[in-house]
Structure formats: C-alpha cells, structure tokens
Amino acid sequence: MGENVKRPTLEAVAVRAGVSKSSVSRVVNGETTVAPEIRDLVLHAVRELGYVPNSTARNLATKRTNTIAIIISDPPAGLVSDDPMFSAVVRAASRELEAAGKQVALMLAGSPESQRRVEQYVAAGHVDGALLVSMHGADPLPALIARMGIPVVSHGRLAAPWLMPYVDNDNLGGAAQAVRHLLDQGRRRIATISGPLDMPAAQDRLSAYRDVLKDSGRRSIMAVGDFTRVSGADAMGQLLEDDPGLDAVFAANDLIAIGALRTLRRSGRRVPDDVAVVGFDDIEAALYTDPALTTVRSSMGDQAAATARLLLGLFDGGPADPVIMPTGLVVRESA
Amino acid sequence: MGENVKRPTLEAVAVRAGVSKSSVSRVVNGETTVAPEIRDLVLHAVRELGYVPNSTARNLATKRTNTIAIIISDPPAGLVSDDPMFSAVVRAASRELEAAGKQVALMLAGSPESQRRVEQYVAAGHVDGALLVSMHGADPLPALIARMGIPVVSHGRLAAPWLMPYVDNDNLGGAAQAVRHLLDQGRRRIATISGPLDMPAAQDRLSAYRDVLKDSGRRSIMAVGDFTRVSGADAMGQLLEDDPGLDAVFAANDLIAIGALRTLRRSGRRVPDDVAVVGFDDIEAALYTDPALTTVRSSMGDQAAATARLLLGLFDGGPADPVIMPTGLVVRESA
DNA sequence: TCCCTCTCAGGGAGCGCTCCCTCGAACCCC
DNA sequence: GGGGTTCGAGGGAGCGCTCCCTGAGAGGGA
C-alpha cells in the first residue's frame, strides 16, 4: 500500500518554528497564554509540515481517549437483518457524539465471547464513557460496565435501573393510550403481542396493556414476540387460533404489527373493520403499510440523541437523572 | 462516578513475578521463546493483579492501532431514519472485523465538517485501515482516504473504482434479469425509478434497465428517486402522470418499491394485475408488503462481510481484486 | 579442554505527547 | 529604585509498552 511517509512530530514543528515543544503543545491545544508572535510562528510551521497531532501519544500522556463506546446488543443468529432501531439509534447517537468532538467505537455485544471482548476493551481504558443500547434483562454486561469507573448511560431503562442513568420513552403512558384508544372504539376482545419479556420496554408496554384492560373489566389475551416481523406474524397466527373472535391487537412494536398485518390479511380478516391493529414506535415503515398503521410515536432518534447528551453532560458534572420522553398516539387507518 | 483504581502496569507485574518487563511483555504477547516456569510465574502475577495491557501505550510503541474505521455516508438532514442498509452493513462488517480481533470505529461522513473530521482522524494515524460504505460520486473523501497509505476498501464500487478494491453486487445482471422478467410477462410499458444518479449502484441498475429495453425495442420511462420510500412514492406519482398507461415498474431498490406500491394503491391500481412492480435488494420488508414484493436478492450483509474480509486480507498481503457477488431474482406476488 | 554457537532473560532507549516546574523578563506600586 | 507580582517560554520527567541489544549460561564438536 501507499508510501508510509513518516509524519512530523510535535518536536519537528518546534525545531522548525524555533521554539520549544511546550510552546507548540500550547498552541496546538489552544491555550491562551501564548504570545501572538510565537503562535504565528508555530501555526506557520504546522502548516508547512502538515503536522497532525498523534492522538495515541496524547492519549497515553493524558490518560484520556476522547472515545465513547456505543455498545449494542447483537441478536444471536443474525435474525434481524434490517432493524430500524439500530440504524436510527446508532446514527443519532453518533451524530451527537461526533458533534461534541468524541470518537465513536462501535461494539456489538452478542455471544459470550463478544461480551468478554467488550468488557476487556472497556477495562483496558480504551474509552472515556459508554452508551448501552437495548440490553436484555439477563445481560451481565451493564453491571460489569457500570463498575468500571467511567460515565455510562443506557438507551432504555435497564432491568437494573440503578446501575446507571438512562433515557427512556414513556412506554407505560404510550401503551395505555393505545389500548384505551382501542377500547374507545368499542373493541371488545383486545389481544396483545408482546416483545421479549426480558426487556423492560416490552414489560412496560405489556403491563400497561394489562392494567388498562383490567380497569375496564376486560380479559387480556397475549402472545409473545421478539420485536421482529416474523415473530409478529407467528404470534398473530397463534392468537387467531386461541381466540378467533378477537377484534383488536396491540402490538408491542411496529415490526410486530407489520407481521401481524400480514397474518391477518392471509386469514382473510379486514383491518380495521374486523380487527384493529395498533403498533408502537412509529417507524417510517408504519406509513407504508396497508392500511397505514396507527401507532405510538416514540422517536428512537431523539431518544438516542438525548441519551448521548446525557452522557456528555456527565463529563461536565451534569445531572445523572433518568429522562423519560413523551410518547403520543398517531391515529392512522389501522385502528 | 466510580473509584478510578489505578490499573496495574506491565512493570508491576514484572516486579510481582520477580522477572523483567521484557519477559512479561513476551508472555503477554504469546511469544514462544519463554521458559515454562517464567511463563507460569508471569501468568500467575497477571491473574493476581488483574493486569490488562494498556493498548494506548502499546499502540504508541508499535505504531499500530488494531482499529478499523467504518466510514459511512450520512444523509444530510436525517432524512432516512430507518435504513435497512445501514443496519445490515454495519452489523455484518462489525461482526467480521471484531471476530478478527479488530476494533471498530464508526464514522459518519455527511457535512463538510464531518468529512474534515474523518479525514483528520484517519490522517492522525488512528486507524490501521478503513472500510467505506455507500459513497456518492461527488464525494471527495475516498480519494483523500485512499492516499493515506493504509489499506482501504469500499462496500460498493466507487465512482472512481481505481482508488481502492471493492465488493459489489452484480447490479447489472440483477437489474437485467428483473426487467427481462417483466418483459417475459408481457409487460409493454415498463418504467423505472432510479436511485441517486451519483451512485454507481443506481447508475448500473439504470443502465441495465435501459439496455434491456433498448434490445427489446421498447421505450424507457424513468423518474429519479433517492433510495427512500418517500422518494419512491413521489416518483411513482410523477410516472403515473407522465404515462398513465404504464403496466410495470422496476424500482432501483425495495424502499422505492414500497413507496411506489403505496402510490399505486392510492391511485387505484391493482398490483400486479394493472401494474407489476419489481424491487431490488430483497430486504426483509419485501416479504411483508401487499402483495409480497418480487425483487432481486443482493444480501447486503454478505456483501458487507465480504468487504470486511477483503480488507482483512489486505493486511496479510491478500489480493486487492474487486469482488462481484451474484444476484438473483426472487419472484413473489408483485410481478 | 577450549571455542563457538545457540537460547533466553534483562536492560534500557525510544514512541510522541503533556504538564509541572523553573526561571527570566516585564510590570507595578510606594 | 527596590521588592514583589505576574506572565509566559523552556526544560524535562514521565505515560506504559515494545523491541533491539547485550550477555550469561548451556550445549556441542574437535
């Protein structure tokens, strides 16, 4: 590959400019206690030599890395190939972090092996902070990371919320609103397809569903999904078998709802006439289903950006309080 | 935040084990020229002290970082919030790189400012190699990165293919197959909605469409999209206005096809009876449209993994030849 | 027995940067 | 004008690791 030109060092710049290393360092780091003429001398030499600071050396000396890890759980088998959540969250968080001048190290935490790798990496002092995304309840990683002595936040409440601050949606409120909407429309047999039960978001959405139904004296009917389309399709099939007379479904997320819609279509049900469907998240795809999906808006992107800001705030001694972002029902055609 | 326990250094281990730093270094790095008893002594001390090598120091000394940058273009305004491509590509590439013991630094390249940041970062010697994803034709970044003297590859052919090796789909073949399929079904007025014309993938899919039509003596009808659902919906509307009698559409990707389906539905056209639709990529969502989408399979994930392997191969003196991955038509209901 | 070779452990000079400390010069106030 | 401040430049000791080099000891051949 290319010519590995030896890059100029800070010392080379110092020699070139006829000043000391210290002065160059000061100028490069934007300290104000430098005489203008020296600053000019240095800046000139920097430009002439094309000097770029060696961040590795800087990291060694300062014991900071300027890097934030985004640690995101990785589905075991590559089940979910196109996960809107992944894209929205990683993008939004990265943007926010990069805008703050941080580097982003992406780490997938799936297999035990990869978990070890993540742990090692963080333990090795390679990052100044970490942002965890969509950890499952059984996951030991959050606890391990939390005790590493670096700022850590979670996108979404953890099963062990006390471990670190987090930013979450108002899952309870949003789900309650969705189910009440179904009730208001006169639906009598309202089923739900939940997310993976070891995830707090799924738990919240489920328990709000249950609470609202219980308050209205109705019986709940549920099947378990895992936040994917195929799980939604399967679960819908099971629900239809269990109770062919159901007239509404609250899906724990839009992907599940999309899967459910397909099964309903194939079983000959009309939506919303025979069965109403409500999703959760309001991903872009919800606008393109037939009929368009009524759903609960929870901007993953905004949430991720807020999570990143929470983390950045921690570095400046900001508050470590959990943040709950509002959700709201978006009524379209499916319910 | 937590107690910043000073982590033990290599020297501490050496003292503890009663050997020299050099020996500890050798053991830690798995060199074979170490007497078994010394190795045991060291390993024991490592375990006792919980020693983890400081990779920053190691990087400084070795002038390697063990880190690969995944540089991915970022849409200007946050248009695309859930981009299946992003998820599939980043996930697959990360997996492959992490499995090879590399660290992954994710960099979004969007605004000129962020481009500068990426350039600086790579120039600063922070990464050993880079993997570019979905660069647009006008993007100056590939050329800049290519001359940095580190191994670089591209996921998808660049507008300037000679800059670096790449892994691409057989866009030409896949698109040709799709259009021929439409022809074979007796469709007479076949339109296309292209991707952004500054991306080679979009160009190839478009030119294959044109070539096949020209060979069959048919006239081409096109609208330009940008690989998003909304652009597909808009372009479809325009197409319908331009030529209300069209009976087939070849969409440059599935997202566009999904958008087009919605517009067709709203305009009262039945798919495939009135208008046949073929997409490209075979993302998971293509299975859940109504009707299910006929499309060209091109596993983004496999392609990304192959790209990562190509890059890893470069470090070991492997070939720098472009790789073209096969595509194939998946016939479902929409055409 | 002597010499040469070979194997391995230890010593220590960097890698490029930061940051504390020293020290000269300029500046001030009575 | 003297003593005290202030300000800013330079010197140099690390940061934790790698890797070259030296040298001790073992082994082998004649």
Side-chain angles (χ1 to χ4, degrees), chain B residues 22 61 94 106 115 136 155 179 193 209 213 233 237 261 279 314 332:
Chain B
S22 308
S94 292
L106 184 70
Q115 296 235 1
H136 289 249
H155 176 272
V179 179
I193 303 174
Y209 157 85
L213 279 201
L261 282 177
L314 255 29
R332 289 200 270 255

Side-chain angles (χ1 to χ4, degrees), chain B residues 10 25 51 54 58:
Chain B
L10 185 149
S25 175
Y51 171 72
N54 177 323
R58 179 179 290 168

Side-chain angles (χ1 to χ4, degrees), chain B residues 260-334:
Chain B
L261 282 177
R262 189 179 70 171
T263 298
L264 287 169
R265 199 158 53 227
R266 293 195 173 170
S267 79
R269 262 78 166 185
R270 286 166 309 153
V271 175
D273 311 80
D274 299 330
V275 180
V277 176
V278 181
F280 204 115
D281 283 345
D282 193 24
I283 62 177
E284 199 182 332
L287 264 169
Y288 292 84
T289 56
D290 180 28
L293 192 64
T294 292
T295 185
V296 178
R297 168 161 296 155
S298 75
S299 170
M300 290 283 178
D302 293 348
Q303 187 189 342
T307 310
R309 281 193 299 271
L310 175 62
L311 178 57
L312 292 169
L314 255 29
F315 288 107
D316 306 329
D321 302 319
V323 176
I324 307 294
M325 306 193 66
T327 51
L329 191 69
V330 181
V331 178
R332 289 200 270 255
E333 303 161 7
S334 71

Side-chain angles (χ1 to χ4, degrees), chain A residues 87-294:
Chain A
S87 166
V89 169
V90 171
R91 267 209 156 99
S94 292
R95 271 199 207 109
E96 204 72 30
L97 295 172
E98 290 187 0
K102 304 293 182 186
Q103 300 304 338
V104 175
L106 184 69
M107 319 209 66
L108 303 180
S111 62
E113 186 204 355
S114 67
Q115 296 236 358
R116 268 195 60 73
R117 188 160 38 226
V118 171
E119 192 193 338
Q120 283 286 323
Y121 191 69
V122 177
H126 236 327
V127 298
D128 292 346
L131 193 162
L132 306 193
V133 182
S134 69
M135 290 292 153
H136 288 249
D139 208 318
L141 206 54
L144 294 171
I145 304 289
R147 67 179 51 162
M148 297 264 189
I150 58 172
V152 190
V153 299
S154 170
H155 176 272
R157 195 180 79 242
L158 293 173
W162 56 85
L163 287 174
M164 62 188 73
Y166 57 87
V167 177
D168 210 345
N169 295 309
D170 182 12
N171 288 310
L172 291 169
Q177 212 181 334
V179 178
R180 270 197 294 267
H181 175 72
L182 259 8
L183 246 16
D184 290 348
Q185 295 202 318
R187 305 287 170 169
R188 325 239 108 217
R189 307 187 72 85
I190 303 175
T192 191
I193 303 175
S194 78
L197 294 178
D198 62 344
M199 295 188 73
Q203 292 162 5
D204 284 359
R205 293 170 191 188
L206 176 60
S207 70
Y209 157 84
R210 282 187 165 140
D211 289 349
V212 172
L213 280 200
K214 187 188 294 168
D215 289 353
S216 75
R218 302 228 179 298
R219 154 165 157 264
S220 59
I221 319 166
M222 98 174 240
V224 179
D226 64 3
F227 282 156
T228 63
R229 296 183 188 84
V230 61
S231 78
D234 292 348
M236 191 68 240
Q238 192 193 310
L239 245 23
L240 250 23
E241 227 170 86
D242 292 354
D243 189 340
L246 60 81
D247 61 4
V249 180
F250 168 55
N253 77 348
D254 289 346
L255 256 21
I256 287 177
I258 288 170
L261 283 177
R262 189 179 70 170
T263 299
L264 287 169
R265 197 156 55 226
R266 293 194 173 171
S267 79
R269 261 78 167 185
R270 288 166 309 154
V271 176
D273 312 80
D274 300 330
V275 179
V277 177
V278 181
F280 204 115
D281 283 344
D282 194 24
I283 62 178
E284 200 184 329
L287 263 170
Y288 292 84
T289 56
D290 179 28
L293 193 64
T294 291

